[in-house]
Amino acid sequence: VPSRTACDLLPETVLQLSQEKHIVGIKDATADLTRLKAMLSAKDNLVFLSGDDATAKEFMLQGGSGVISVVANVAPVVMKRLCDNARSGDQVQANETEAPLAPLCQVLGIESNPIPVKFMLHQMRRISKSLRLPLTELDDKFQPACLAAMRQFGLI
């Protein structure tokens, strides 16, 4: 996650690391699908996981193994269906499954993760409202958009 680590593992570096027996996979949260193509030659040695819900479907359709998903925290059944469809190469079903997730993906990125997902999980009565620093509550100005996306998806 270069935006969080201030560091990027270029595809060339990943290919070199794939030869190390203790490295079994990589999470790519760059949303740059061209990178996956450059790294797939190491497919026998590495599991490739998307770290970006918005591009996860295409990532898996292009050969990625799966996704480390934020959306799956609030819509696990639908995200699993998306993964199953995309990993099996069923683009039509993957597209149909992904479409309703788009509003959730958008609002889950409205503030730094995991602030929006914790807000949603609290609204769904799955977790308490307490947060530990450095996390803060979701800004009041973003709450209506999150609630609207949740209602649209049927979460509340």
Side-chain angles (χ1 to χ4, degrees):
V1 187
S3 64
R4 296 239 175 129
T5 62
C7 179
D8 190 4
L9 288 177
L10 297 175
E12 299 80 21
T13 305
V14 172
L15 290 173
Q16 285 182 315
L17 290 171
S18 73
Q19 302 307 309
E20 297 294 325
K21 68 179 181 177
H22 297 296
I23 298 176
V24 297
I26 185 166
K27 170 187 167 185
D28 187 320
T30 64
D32 180 356
L33 296 170
T34 61
R35 293 167 63 104
L36 178 62
K37 187 176 270 186
M39 294 184 292
L40 278 177
S41 64
K43 182 94 168 135
D44 292 340
N45 297 348
L46 288 182
V47 171
F48 292 98
L49 300 170
S50 171
D52 178 58
D53 283 314
T55 58
K57 175 198 71 176
E58 197 58 39
F59 188 92
M60 289 180 280
L61 284 169
Q62 291 183 21
S65 304
V67 59
I68 297 173
S69 171
V70 177
V71 171
N73 288 282
V74 295
V77 172
V78 178
M79 187 49 112
K80 181 187 181 311
R81 188 177 319 124
L82 172 65
C83 291
D84 291 344
N85 292 331
R87 289 178 57 189
S88 71
D90 189 339
Q91 185 162 4
V92 172
Q93 286 297 316
N95 289 344
E96 288 178 15
T97 305
E98 178 192 45
L101 290 172
L104 287 177
C105 287
Q106 184 177 4
V107 295
L108 283 167
I110 209 163
E111 276 201 82
S112 294
N113 184 38
I115 294 170
V117 75
K118 286 188 173 279
F119 171 82
M120 288 184 179
L121 289 169
H122 174 68
Q123 295 300 312
M124 296 167 68
R125 294 184 166 85
R126 291 195 180 161
I127 64 170
S128 68
K129 195 172 185 177
S130 64
L131 297 172
R132 294 181 309 196
L133 291 174
L135 295 180
T136 59
E137 289 188 28
L138 183 69
D139 193 302
D140 289 344
K141 68 183 176 190
F142 298 130
Q143 292 182 16
C146 284
L147 292 169
M150 293 177 75
R151 281 188 201 96
Q152 181 179 350
F153 196 78
L155 297 175
I156 55 172

